[in-house]
Amino acid sequence: MSPTCDQHKYQLLPRLSAEEFAALERSIIAHGVLVPVEYDEAGEIIDGHHRVEICESLGLVDWPRFVRKGLSEIDKRTLSRELNFARRHLTTVQKQAVISDQLRDTPSISSRAIAAMLGVHHSTVQSVRKQLVDGGEISHHDEVEGRDGVVQPARKTIKTAFVPDQPNVGEYMKGAKIIRAEKQKLSHTVRLAHMDLIAERGRHAAPTGQALIYPVYYGDPCWQYAVRSEMTGREKSAENHYPTMPTDEICTLLAGLIGGDHPAVCFLWATNPMLLDALRVLDACGFTYVHHWVWDKEVAGTGYWGRDRHEILLIGRRGDIAAPLQGSQPETVYRERKGRHSAKPDWFAEQIEKLFPGLAKLELFARAARPGWDSWGFEAEVGNAVSPKTGRKAKPKTLEMRPKRQRKAMPA
């Protein structure tokens, strides 16, 4: 297979048989050279030795030519094999010899790429490769280069799936469920930590009136009801307990306070008449409604379309927040007898703590500082309270309740 002289150093396949040579000669006499002879820059024939030989024997001095430039010696030999292999009728032994020569030239090229180049099955190339490696003629390669030039492992890991016998399917499914639950817990922990990290890094960009940003917000807005009692003409009783604000002002206030694009979750209380207003507030702050919980107060109050005995805690999410793990979510309805005006059961804040442990939390419109939380509001006590003006921890008397005649709107 090796060339015997420089003149034919790229004639890498066996000579045509007598019958094949005669058929090619008849074709050239009848139609001329149909496939151009390929040369390199030095004039060496890469492909077309038999065509040139026939032309010269017929006394022809010109035939179609194509010059390949910039090819290495290995590239020229590879091209010669690639152009000739598919056109030739070779025996199995001859094909193996050509494949062997190609593997010696390019051992790092994958068997599939060489097979595609020569028009044979990749298993044939792989079989020849194994013989050459075992015989020490070429070295084993941990990585090979494909036709697209991408280097990949020579052997890829085989992926298998264990399929249990029917009696063991139940145990198999239990094990899979445990593994899936553990992966979910790990993923959930990572996402919680990511939320907290974003909040920590975002402190310098916190909105006006707040010294830092939080991943968890919980608030009971001081809704101002637009209607008066149809029975007495008096305003709703909320104004007798704390200063209230129109919804537009609450939207503007909270958008500047907790708005942004950092991942966060917001739990916002709403009464039946103020449900749409609460949704407006969530939207103004960049939160998307996802769910709600219900507080059953056990005792019915007043109302025009029905006597209200429940309030709604809306849940809004913003960005890529970690939703609760399956099985950790509380039931959506909690029953506890109502207490003093507007006071909410601690149970709801406790559920938030369970769902988002270790994350910084801010309670908005707080009446008292909750242990472990930062608080922001008109009546927030000193301790964990955050000043509405500076966003920093309040100093004594900063957030004291003012005389009733000075109450206009939260915050002050």
Side-chain angles (χ1 to χ4, degrees):
M1 294 296 297
S2 300
T4 57
C5 62
D6 289 343
Q7 183 180 359
H8 301 292
K9 64 179 180 179
Y10 301 123
Q11 188 172 359
L12 306 179
L13 273 67
R15 282 188 59 83
L16 293 174
S17 66
E19 293 81 2
E20 291 173 330
F21 190 90
L24 178 60
E25 185 176 35
R26 288 194 297 270
S27 175
I28 291 177
I29 292 173
H31 309 291
V33 176
L34 300 178
V35 179
V37 178
E38 301 213 12
Y39 296 85
D40 65 7
E41 300 99 318
E44 294 283 354
I45 300 172
I46 297 175
D47 174 54
H49 295 83
H50 294 99
R51 279 165 274 165
V52 171
E53 183 179 339
I54 292 172
C55 287
E56 291 177 343
S57 69
L58 294 174
L60 301 176
V61 296
D62 195 16
W63 47 83
R65 289 172 169 81
F66 187 88
V67 179
R68 298 273 182 175
K69 297 182 178 180
L71 298 182
S72 67
E73 289 299 305
I74 290 179
D75 291 338
K76 294 173 187 177
R77 292 196 294 272
T78 297
L79 178 61
S80 176
R81 297 186 188 101
E82 188 172 357
L83 292 174
N84 282 277
F85 199 93
R87 296 200 301 256
R88 303 289 292 275
H89 298 289
L90 304 177
T91 66
T92 300
V93 174
Q94 290 173 329
K95 287 183 178 180
Q96 289 179 342
V98 175
I99 294 171
S100 296
D101 286 343
Q102 184 62 48
L103 283 168
R104 292 187 186 97
D105 277 345
T106 57
S108 63
I109 302 298
S110 71
S111 296
R112 288 184 180 274
I114 293 177
M117 177 195 313
L118 300 180
V120 296
H121 195 273
H122 68 86
S123 62
T124 303
V125 181
Q126 188 60 35
S127 176
V128 175
R129 181 190 292 274
K130 185 176 185 304
Q131 293 175 7
L132 296 179
V133 171
D134 293 344
E137 294 189 59
I138 63 174
S139 59
H140 171 74
H141 284 73
D142 293 328
E143 294 182 332
V144 294
E145 181 179 335
R147 297 188 69 189
D148 54 2
V150 177
V151 177
Q152 299 178 340
R155 292 187 177 182
K156 297 182 179 180
T157 303
I158 299 176
K159 296 181 179 180
T160 60
F162 169 71
V163 180
D165 296 333
Q166 189 61 35
N168 297 318
V169 170
E171 292 300 316
Y172 177 79
M173 296 302 294
K174 289 181 182 178
K177 185 176 181 180
I178 292 173
I179 294 173
R180 185 166 57 252
E182 290 300 320
K183 290 180 66 176
Q184 289 176 339
K185 287 181 181 178
L186 176 61
S187 176
H188 187 259
T189 300
V190 171
R191 293 184 70 185
L192 286 178
H194 180 66
M195 287 173 58
D196 201 32
L197 178 63
I198 291 177
E200 181 69 23
R201 289 179 174 177
R203 291 188 175 189
H204 68 281
T208 303
Q210 197 181 341
L212 50 90
I213 63 177
Y214 296 81
V216 181
Y217 298 103
Y218 174 54
D220 184 13
C222 49
W223 303 114
Q224 185 176 95
Y225 293 83
V227 299
R228 296 170 176 265
S229 169
E230 294 182 358
M231 297 294 295
T232 65
R234 298 173 59 185
E235 292 184 351
K236 286 283 187 179
S237 59
E239 289 287 354
N240 296 325
H241 296 271
Y242 49 76
T244 60
M245 297 178 65
T247 301
D248 288 343
E249 292 185 14
I250 294 177
C251 288
T252 301
L253 173 67
L254 292 188
L257 189 70
I258 67 174
D261 56 8
H262 64 281
V265 59
C266 181
F267 296 81
L268 195 72
W269 281 105
T271 58
N272 278 333
M274 306 305 292
L275 176 57
L276 295 182
D277 295 72
L279 290 170
R280 280 179 53 201
V281 172
L282 284 179
D283 183 66
C285 297
F287 292 94
T288 301
Y289 166 83
V290 291
H291 206 67
H292 69 267
W293 299 341
V294 176
W295 170 31
D296 179 358
K297 302 180 180 181
E298 295 188 354
V299 179
T302 60
Y304 300 121
W305 295 93
R307 295 182 59 200
D308 296 336
R309 59 172 279 177
H310 74 277
E311 286 192 39
I312 303 168
L313 182 60
L314 301 178
I315 306 174
R317 65 180 297 170
R318 183 174 63 202
D320 184 23
I321 69 161
L325 286 171
Q326 290 296 320
S328 67
Q329 312 98 319
E331 293 186 1
T332 55
V333 178
Y334 173 72
R335 185 176 181 181
E336 180 178 316
R337 194 177 185 87
K338 67 178 182 180
R340 65 192 179 100
H341 182 85
S342 189
K344 302 300 187 289
D346 291 334
W347 181 88
F348 290 94
E350 292 168 357
Q351 302 313 303
I352 297 173
E353 291 171 352
K354 291 178 182 178
L355 295 180
F356 300 96
L359 297 189
K361 305 173 184 67
L362 177 65
E363 182 173 4
L364 302 159
F365 302 98
R367 285 183 149 186
R370 191 180 302 277
W373 294 57
D374 284 349
S375 302
W376 182 95
F378 184 78
E379 298 175 88
E381 297 172 353
V382 176
N384 285 18
V386 178
S387 167
K389 295 182 178 179
T390 66
R392 304 185 183 280
K393 295 296 178 65
K395 297 180 180 180
K397 297 184 180 181
T398 299
L399 298 178
E400 291 180 347
M401 178 68 77
R402 293 179 297 167
K404 186 178 295 185
R405 65 176 179 271
Q406 295 182 12
R407 301 180 194 171
K408 292 184 179 179
M410 290 180 62

